[in-house]
C-alpha cells in the first residue's frame, strides 16, 4: 500500500540510504504512474540530500499530475520561504485558494506568510479566522491558530484565541492545556491551574498537561505541587524528551545540580545521537557553571548536526570557559567553512558588543548585512551601536530596518532613539508611541516614551506615562527610574 511505502521510505532515509529509498519510490511510480505521491517522496529525498533544485523539480512534477496536491504545494512554498522568497510562496497559495478557497492548510499558510512579510495583525487574524471557520469542530486548525498568535509576540492575542477554541470545543484536553499555557503567559496562574486540571480530568494520561500544570505550580510559588506533577509525568512517559527535560530542569531548580547532570547523561545514553538530549546536557552543564564540560558536549552535538545555532552556543561556551584562543580558532574555522553564514557573523557582532569591543562588533555587523541585506536584526543592532558616534548613519540604518519590519516594536524603538539623536524630537515621540502601541506590556518602551516626551518639552504626557509605569507594581524593573523622573517633575 501507499502508506507502507511511505513508511519504508522514511525508515530508509533515517538510515541515510537514499539509493534504496529511491528504488522503492521508482517501484511505487511504476505501479501508480498517474499518482503525485512518488514525485513528492522524491522531493523529500532530494531535500534530505540538500538538493533544493531537484526537490523543486519533483514537487512541480507532482503538481503537474495533481494540481490540487497540497503536500507538494506546501513543500514548494516552504522552499520559497527558506530562500527568502515570501512573495513567491504567497503567489502560489493565492492561485491555489482560487481553486480551493476552503483549504485549511493554505489559509493557515497565508496567515504565516503575512506575518513573515510584516503584515498587520488584523490581516493575519483574518486568515486565521477563515481557517478555523472552515472546520470549527476540528482542534487542529485551532491549535495552529493559537501557535501563530504566539508568534506575533502578543500574549493577550494567544489567550483570546485559546479561549475561543475552548469555547468551541470545551471537552478537548489539548485545547484546554493550551488555554492553561496562554493563561500562564499573562500571569493568571489560578485560572491556568483550573484549565490544566480540567484537561487532566478529561485525559488523565496526558503527561504534557501535567508538565504545564507543573509550570503553573511553580509560577504560583508551589514547588512541591510542581514536583508531584513532574513525577507523575515521568511515570506516564519515562522515555519522552519533554518529561525528562522538565524533571532535569526541576532538579536544577531544587539545587540538585549533580542529579540534574546525571539525569541529562542518562537521557543522552538512552537517546544516543539525539541532538535534543545533547543540547539539554550542555544546558545543564552550563547552568552549573561547567562551561568546559558544556563545550565538550556541544562539540559532539556539532558533529551530529552542524547547524549555526549549535556553532553559536559552542563559541559562547568556549569563551565562558576562558578558552579565548580556542573560541577564536573555532570561529575562524567555522567562517572558513561557512563564508555566507550571516547569522553567525551577527552573533559574533553581538557577543563583541557585549564585551565592549565595538570596533569588532561594527565590522562583523557590516559583514553580516553585506551577506544578507534584508537581515533586519543585524541592521537594527548596527544602528543601535552607531547611535553615539555616527548618529546620521544610525538613522539611515534604523529607517531601513523599519521599512523591512514595519510592525516590530524593537525596530521602532531604535528608530525613535536615532530620530532623537538627530534632533527630530517630535518624530521620535510618534515612532516610540507606535512601538508602545505594538507592545503595551513592555515597560522599557514606555519609559523611553516618557523620556522622549520630556525631551520634546511635553511634561504632562511624560507624567502620564511615568504614572502608568509606577502603577504597574514593584515587579517592574523600570519603576525606580520612573519614580525618580516623577520626583523631578514635581509629582
Amino acid at each position: 500500500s501507499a502508506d507502507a511505502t511511505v513508511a519504508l521510505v522514511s525508515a530508509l532515509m533515517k538510515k541515510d540510504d537514499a539509493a534504496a529509498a529511491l528504488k522503492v519510490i521508482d517501484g511505487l511510480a511504476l505501479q501508480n504512474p498517474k499518482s503525485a505521491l512518488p514525485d513528492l517522496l522524491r522531493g523529500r529525498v532530494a531535500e534530505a540530500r540538500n538538493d533544493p533544485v531537484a526537490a523543486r523539480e519533483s514537487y512541480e512534477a507532482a503538481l503537474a499530475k495533481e494540481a490540487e496536491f497540497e503536500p507538494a504545494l506546501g513543500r514548494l512554498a516552504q522552499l520559497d520561504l527558506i530562500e527568502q522568497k515570501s512573495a513567491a510562496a504567497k503567489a502560489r497559495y493565492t492561485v491555489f485558494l482560487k481553486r480551493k478557497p476552503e483549504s485549511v492548510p493554505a489559509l493557515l499558510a497565508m496567515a504565516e506568510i503575512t506575518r513573515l512579510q510584516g503584515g498587520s495583525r488584523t490581516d493575519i487574524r483574518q486568515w486565521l479566522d477563515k481557517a478555523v471557520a472552515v472546520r470549527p469542530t476540528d482542534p487542529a486548525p485551532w491549535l495552529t491558530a493559537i501557535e501563530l498568535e504566539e508568534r506575533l509576540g502578543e500574549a493577550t492575542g494567544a489567550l483570546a484565541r485559546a479561549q475561543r477554541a475552548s469555547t468551541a470545543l470545551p471537552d478537548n484536553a489539548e485545547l484546554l492545556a493550551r488555554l492553561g499555557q496562554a493563561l500562564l503567559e499573562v500571569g493568571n496562574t489560578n485560572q491556568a491551574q483550573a484549565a490544566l486540571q480540567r484537561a487532566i480530568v478529561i485525559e488523565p494520561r496526558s503527561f504534557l498537561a501535567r508538565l504545564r500544570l507543573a509550570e503553573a505550580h511553580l509560577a504560583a510559588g508551589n514547588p512541591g505541587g510542581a514536583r508531584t506533577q513532574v513525577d507523575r509525568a515521568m511515570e506516564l512517559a519515562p522515555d519522552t524528551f519533554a518529561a525528562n527535560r522538565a524533571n532535569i530542569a526541576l532538579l536544577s531548580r531544587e539545587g540538585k545540580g549533580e542529579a540534574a547532570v546525571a539525569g541529562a547523561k542518562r537521557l543522552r545514553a538512552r537517546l544516543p545521537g539525539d541532538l535534543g538530549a545533547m543540547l539539554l546536557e550542555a544546558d545543564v552543564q552550563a547552568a552549573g557553571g561547567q562551561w568546559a564540560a558544556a563545550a565538550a558536549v556541544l562539540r559532539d552535538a556539532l558533529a551530529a548536526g552542524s547547524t549555526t545555532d549549535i556553532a553559536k552556543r559552542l563559541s559562547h561556551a568556549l569563551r565562558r570557559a576562558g578558552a579565548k584562543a580556542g573560541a577564536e580558532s573555532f570561529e575562524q574555522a567555522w567562517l572558513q567553512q561557512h563564508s555566507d553564514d550571516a547569522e553567525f557573523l551577527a552573533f559574533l557582532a553581538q557577543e563583541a558588543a557585549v564585551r565592549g569591543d565595538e570596533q569588532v562588533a561594527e565590522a562583523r555587523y557590516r559583514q553580516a548585512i553585506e551577506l544578507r541585506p534584508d537581515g533586519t536584526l543585524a541592521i537594527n543592532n548596527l544602528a543601535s551601536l552607531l547611535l553615539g558616534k555616527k548618529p546620521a548613519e544610525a538613522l539611515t540604518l534604523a529607517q531601513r530596518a523599519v521599512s523591512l519590519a514595519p510592525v516590530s516594536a524593537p525596530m521602532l524603538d531604535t528608530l525613535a532613539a536615532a530620530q532623537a539623536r538627530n534632533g527630530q524630537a517630535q518624530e521620535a515621540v510618534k515612532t516610540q508611541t507606535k512601538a508602545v502601541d505594538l507592545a503595551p506590556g513592555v515597560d522599557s518602551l514606555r519609559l523611553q516614551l516618557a523620556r522622549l516626551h520630556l525631551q520634546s518639552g511635553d511634561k504632562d504626557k511624560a507624567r502620564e506615562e511615568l504614572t502608568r509605569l509606577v502603577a504597574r507594581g514593584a515587579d517592574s524593573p523600570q519603576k525606580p527610574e520612573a519614580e525618580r523622573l516623577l520626583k523631578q517633575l514635581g509629582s
Side-chain angles (χ1 to χ4, degrees):
S1 69
D3 290 342
T5 300
V6 172
L8 177 56
V9 169
S10 177
L12 290 169
M13 289 307 298
K14 286 181 180 179
K15 296 179 180 179
D16 200 24
D17 194 346
L22 288 170
K23 286 183 180 179
V24 172
I25 295 169
D26 289 342
L28 179 64
L30 285 172
Q31 296 173 9
N32 304 275
K34 295 182 180 180
S35 172
L37 180 59
D39 294 299
L40 174 71
L41 295 175
R42 287 192 187 100
R44 298 308 298 262
V45 171
E47 281 196 75
R49 299 170 82 175
N50 197 27
D51 188 349
V53 174
R56 283 184 179 277
E57 290 176 355
S58 295
Y59 297 141
E60 293 286 6
L63 289 174
K65 292 175 181 175
E66 298 181 39
E68 296 182 358
F69 191 56
E70 292 186 51
L73 173 73
R75 292 314 308 163
L76 278 169
Q78 188 61 35
L79 288 172
D80 289 334
L81 294 176
I82 290 171
E83 296 171 11
Q84 306 293 319
K85 298 175 181 176
S86 60
K90 184 176 183 179
R92 292 183 193 279
Y93 280 114
T94 299
V95 172
F96 185 81
L97 283 167
K98 288 179 181 178
R99 291 197 299 265
K100 294 187 67 176
E102 293 193 344
S103 167
V104 172
L107 292 168
L108 292 171
M110 285 294 278
E112 172 64 358
I113 291 169
T114 303
R115 182 188 74 84
L116 292 172
Q117 291 184 326
S120 70
R121 282 172 165 75
T122 299
D123 289 343
I124 295 167
R125 285 173 177 145
Q126 283 178 348
W127 288 113
L128 295 177
D129 290 342
K130 288 179 182 178
V132 297
V134 173
R135 296 205 304 261
T137 59
D138 182 353
W142 283 110
L143 289 166
T144 302
I146 295 168
E147 181 182 340
L148 286 174
E149 292 276 11
E150 290 170 349
R151 290 183 198 168
L152 293 176
E154 188 178 329
T156 54
L159 174 58
R161 183 74 59 177
Q163 288 171 328
R164 287 165 60 187
S166 293
T167 299
L169 296 168
D171 295 323
N172 185 278
E174 191 170 5
L175 287 174
L176 280 166
R178 292 304 294 266
L179 174 60
Q181 183 177 351
L183 287 163
L184 270 179
E185 290 294 326
V186 299
N188 195 331
T189 55
N190 289 335
Q191 288 189 27
Q193 289 183 60
L196 290 163
Q197 285 167 348
R198 175 162 166 70
I200 291 169
V201 169
I202 294 171
E203 182 49 71
R205 299 192 65 79
S206 173
F207 72 94
L208 288 175
R210 291 184 182 277
L211 293 179
R212 288 176 180 149
L213 182 55
E215 293 175 20
H217 281 306
L218 287 175
N222 180 13
R227 170 48 68 192
T228 298
Q229 294 303 325
V230 169
D231 286 347
R232 181 63 178 133
M234 286 291 290
E235 290 174 9
L236 291 167
D239 295 325
T240 62
F241 181 80
N244 278 275
R245 178 177 58 189
N247 183 49
I248 290 164
L250 190 55
L251 286 169
S252 295
R253 185 186 181 98
E254 292 166 342
K256 301 174 182 177
E258 291 184 4
V261 171
K265 288 181 179 294
R266 283 195 302 273
L267 179 63
R268 187 176 168 192
R270 189 180 301 143
L271 302 171
D274 184 87
L275 275 176
M278 292 182 194
L279 295 176
L280 179 58
E281 183 185 345
D283 286 344
V284 173
Q285 296 283 15
Q290 301 301 313
W291 288 100
V297 177
L298 288 166
R299 285 195 185 278
D300 291 341
L302 196 65
S306 185
T307 67
T308 298
D309 179 65
I310 299 173
K312 287 158 51 177
R313 295 172 69 164
L314 176 54
S315 169
H316 181 75
L318 287 167
R319 287 188 178 275
R320 290 298 303 270
K324 179 183 177 183
E328 291 176 346
S329 176
F330 165 70
E331 291 159 6
Q332 183 179 3
W334 180 265
L335 289 173
Q336 285 176 346
Q337 296 170 10
H338 307 83
S339 58
D340 61 345
D341 194 341
E343 183 183 344
F344 190 71
L345 283 164
F347 160 78
L348 294 180
Q350 188 173 7
E351 291 281 285
V354 170
R355 297 195 303 270
D357 194 340
E358 292 189 2
Q359 185 175 356
V360 170
E362 181 180 345
R364 292 300 196 190
Y365 275 134
R366 292 190 188 281
Q367 287 177 285
I369 294 168
E370 184 176 354
L371 285 169
R372 276 199 61 182
D374 61 347
T376 53
L377 186 59
I379 296 169
N380 181 73
N381 288 354
L382 179 57
S384 182
L385 187 70
L386 297 179
L387 280 172
K389 55 184 180 180
K390 298 178 183 177
E393 185 181 3
L395 177 59
T396 300
L397 287 164
Q399 290 169 333
R400 180 175 163 189
V402 168
S403 71
L404 290 166
V407 291
S408 168
M411 309 295 171
L412 288 165
D413 181 43
T414 302
L415 176 57
Q419 289 168 331
R421 289 287 300 180
N422 283 273
Q424 301 175 11
Q426 294 300 326
E427 288 301 312
V429 167
K430 292 178 183 177
T431 302
Q432 192 70 19
T433 300
K434 290 180 183 177
V436 170
D437 288 343
L438 285 168
V442 180
D443 289 354
S444 59
L445 296 178
R446 195 174 294 278
L447 180 61
Q448 181 62 8
L449 178 57
R451 288 177 174 141
L452 290 172
H453 278 310
L454 285 172
Q455 186 175 333
S456 66
D458 195 333
K459 294 183 178 180
D460 289 340
K461 287 189 177 179
R463 184 178 289 107
E464 180 182 335
E465 297 298 340
L466 292 169
T467 301
R468 286 182 183 177
L469 278 173
V470 170
R472 291 174 84 87
D475 291 339
S476 173
Q478 278 70 38
K479 183 177 179 179
E481 177 63 9
E483 290 175 332
R484 185 185 71 80
L485 291 174
L486 272 175
K487 287 181 181 178
Q488 284 185 358
L489 284 169
S491 175

